[in-house]
Amino acid sequence: MLQEKSFLSIARDFKAVFLDSYGVIKNYKGLIAGAQNTIDFLRELKIEIRILTNDASRSQQQQAESFYNLGLKGIEMHEIVTSGMMAKQFLQDKILQGKIGYLGTENSAHYILQSGLQHISVRDIDLHSIDGISAFVFLDDEGFDWNIDINKTVNLLRRKNIPVIVANSDKLYPVSKNDVAVAIGGIAKLVENMLNKKFIHFGKPDSQIFMYAFDELNQFGSFSKNEILMVGDNLNTDILGGNKFGLKTTLVLSGNTSAEDAEHQIHSSGIIPDFICPSIMC
Amino acid sequence: MLQEKSFLSIARDFKAVFLDSYGVIKNYKGLIAGAQNTIDFLRELKIEIRILTNDASRSQQQQAESFYNLGLKGIEMHEIVTSGMMAKQFLQDKILQGKIGYLGTENSAHYILQSGLQHISVRDIDLHSIDGISAFVFLDDEGFDWNIDINKTVNLLRRKNIPVIVANSDKLYPVSKNDVAVAIGGIAKLVENMLNKKFIHFGKPDSQIFMYAFDELNQFGSFSKNEILMVGDNLNTDILGGNKFGLKTTLVLSGNTSAEDAEHQIHSSGIIPDFICPSIMC
Amino acid sequence: MLQEKSFLSIARDFKAVFLDSYGVIKNYKGLIAGAQNTIDFLRELKIEIRILTNDASRSQQQQAESFYNLGLKGIEMHEIVTSGMMAKQFLQDKILQGKIGYLGTENSAHYILQSGLQHISVRDIDLHSIDGISAFVFLDDEGFDWNIDINKTVNLLRRKNIPVIVANSDKLYPVSKNDVAVAIGGIAKLVENMLNKKFIHFGKPDSQIFMYAFDELNQFGSFSKNEILMVGDNLNTDILGGNKFGLKTTLVLSGNTSAEDAEHQIHSSGIIPDFICPSIMC
Amino acid sequence: MLQEKSFLSIARDFKAVFLDSYGVIKNYKGLIAGAQNTIDFLRELKIEIRILTNDASRSQQQQAESFYNLGLKGIEMHEIVTSGMMAKQFLQDKILQGKIGYLGTENSAHYILQSGLQHISVRDIDLHSIDGISAFVFLDDEGFDWNIDINKTVNLLRRKNIPVIVANSDKLYPVSKNDVAVAIGGIAKLVENMLNKKFIHFGKPDSQIFMYAFDELNQFGSFSKNEILMVGDNLNTDILGGNKFGLKTTLVLSGNTSAEDAEHQIHSSGIIPDFICPSIMC
């Protein structure tokens, strides 16, 4: 099962392909080699493409522009599904009044929290006047002073029992070949740990984002789960989530999981991809 | 927010109501008082009803018959959604060959594993001849000798790295006013703990079962999430899952969560129902 | 058992009393009312006193001076036992060469890391030249830029597999009546979570600090465990640790655990103090 | 660091050697090859020997007899330290009245619970008459019906909030070359998981057992921690515990950790032994 295969020969048997973004299509240096060719190949075969990414820092439009700027042509806005969109939908469905507090940048707050409600950065919250705050969102690891504002968040959430949403559950993200940075999901975990509470996390491996992509896809035709291939570089998010949702899964070795780690991780985690490929190239 | 309200006055504003079974409609003694009246009331108002239950021991038909035998009339088979059905669907989508090993009763194996593949109880597995086994399912806490067969399961899964499914993630279930029993989800957790692996769990609070009920419901009309009320007696399954899926939620105090526990649990967990009612009666 | 008793009437039956510091002897405002009287009372009865505190920011001498400055007279240096001292001893026993990296203040580094080895703040570490670093210590939540230096620590420990020590395992500490701050134990937990590793934590409830105090005490006489009373305001550190070490335990309600929380927390945690007192006063 | 060395050339530099039992001295087939020679070699050099084992099923005397019967001569009773002895000491120090409930065999109950108090097997407990039960001990994975008596234990501990002790925290134990069995520590974990409580666990890696062996050893001379070598086949118990206590540690590859696993486990866990040897032979 651990024998590596050609990605294109696998993908051609499916009616749709779901791709993770970082580690599959792009990395810290730019586009993964061959990404454009593979996208073009899938388009020619009329195979639908969706990109499922745990990211709450950029809107669909900003994501699409970013691919374009990296040199990847032809990704449409509606083909991008982010964990931030899931958080946005939740807020619209569930939080109907009050002000939404957040940890993150003005930009991510702008696009995620545009639900008609006001929003306020932790930085600007006065802990003596929190009656109006009806929910809290962990958006992004930037846009605030960690030392001051993480502590402020802990105390806000000790004083007021409100729904807390994590717009991207990833604990870390890569910043170079070897190095990573703590992501907002990691900071949220720290705060959960302080408070002994469980927040509402969005993003792979949770089914919500797969469900959204699946429903959206089915507006363009009739796709059953076994006609869709999920492609990712992370066993714990992409492959676990894809497997659980009932999709076929491919682990690519162009990102977070090296060839040497793959066998060991699969064995020790019990998370088993249907296929393994070096990358989406050829 | 913790003030208790009349269930009927809440429910009448929704187009559909999702109900947990145990602790909401029935308990160890039989039907919850007023269950039939409430069901009839919802029917009269043309409010759709679905019952979402973490149970893998009985088929939809057996569940429907069981309600009928308890005296609750008018529950149709298609209105029942079980975690076992999610497990069955997963097996059909993902496991296309080989033999499925299981821990549970012949009966639950019969209806969950009817996917064309053979199945074999752990009791009958010969650990020296396990090549053909392609997946494993935790079905039920009965039908095997715990001491012998849990150890056999641990060793089977140490020898062979295959997908492992938990058809009901509940850790325990009530057997009388005060007492509980370890459920198959608790046994699966023990085995995960032995192996340091993460199995694929089905059932509330996971989104899969809500998604299934939501999609099925929408074949009978057009329902948006905020037109649906989820009703349950457990914060960690019914309310957390309902909230995350974007439904309005009602905690009832007729089951697992007593009036005195509710306030404390809500505060300490951060899982906040939209409404609290003594029961579904009146 | 939850009936509250007079502290002095309990303590007089013991040959030694171990006291937590924060929440028992002092709090954010200064000394707890009656602390001096109680200390004097114990001295008169020739009851030995030791103060066991999860703190790595100050040396024994600094701790003793701090009590003196708050107005508490007669606490001797040797009567103070800190989690930082446990970390220091570990480093002396186990790390015999190389340079010790740390996260914390110059001051805490100075007194904990005086083992003949060099030490270097994460701030000053060049990630391209880490060959000489032989161990790492989480000391203190101050003295560094959280955003930059926590990420740097994560990447240092990804690149180099060295012993990592947490000199104070507390996740948070109180800063005012209502508010807390994330402590270095919480930051260490975040980094452990990023790396999926387990560091070596020092401090209550771990037995090491009780053992140290017990051995030191027995240089002044012959004390058996049942002649010693552990007094603290935290079930999870003071009472759990004291119980496990075999001491009698008293929960005081003058700190982290309010009267209303005590009964619930004892019931839900299963950590049961032998006595409960409002405070050490009278 | 991962280069393997000769055990005898390492051990000869220490004044005392602490050895794990299973996987170091013996295994499922009997004595590890060369065990007698190594013991004799250490005796000749006047190096003190202690055997530290997570076991609550047999008394010191039964352990010593068992070594003798396997063919290992010259192990004295006082040289054996078990997690069961730690549990026994705790019960003597802390539980001064009432009846002690237990899960395990009559034999283990006999020697651990001989503290003057009565004891009663879960099997014989009447859940309607539990007032007199003052503590509960998880002793052994045998001597009861798992299905019936684990459920009975869960309900007993739901009804009565008493100290709960786990006399051996190991989750599993080997029964043959490939196979393992769930140990009492695993069953205790299952019950903790059901109840959301934390029991008091005894055994490596906890410091208590190291402390006991260290204190007992120092009645025979003056031994500092860096003069003692801890030898074990488990990173998570023997090596973690030894490291934390301040001892030098040797991982042997004759038991639970294979040569191929060692490097990966050390890297992923961050638990680093000072030495690695194929076995204690030569």
Side-chain angles (χ1 to χ4, degrees), chain C residues 79-93:
Chain C
E79 294 177 326
I80 292 167
V81 189
T82 73
S83 61
M85 291 162 60
M86 303 302 106
K88 181 176 181 172
Q89 192 179 44
F90 174 88
L91 292 166
Q92 281 172 342
D93 288 339

Side-chain angles (χ1 to χ4, degrees), chain A residues 90 93-94 96 161-162 196-197 201 206-208 211 243-245 247-248 266-268 270 272 274, chain B residues 90 94 96 161-162 196-197 201 206-208 211 243-248 266-268 270 272 274:
Chain A
F90 173 88
D93 288 341
K94 291 286 295 181
L96 305 179
N161 191 28
I162 49 178
N196 276 319
K197 293 196 180 179
H201 290 251
D206 192 81
S207 299
Q208 214 97 355
M211 178 173 35
N243 277 349
K244 184 164 183 181
F245 193 72
L247 310 180
K248 292 281 178 188
I266 290 168
H267 187 77
S268 69
I272 309 168
D274 295 295
Chain B
F90 174 88
K94 293 286 295 183
L96 305 179
N161 191 29
I162 49 178
N196 276 318
K197 292 196 179 180
H201 291 252
D206 193 81
S207 298
Q208 214 97 355
M211 180 170 35
N243 278 350
K244 184 162 184 183
F245 193 71
L247 310 180
K248 291 281 178 189
I266 290 168
H267 187 77
S268 69
I272 309 168
D274 295 295

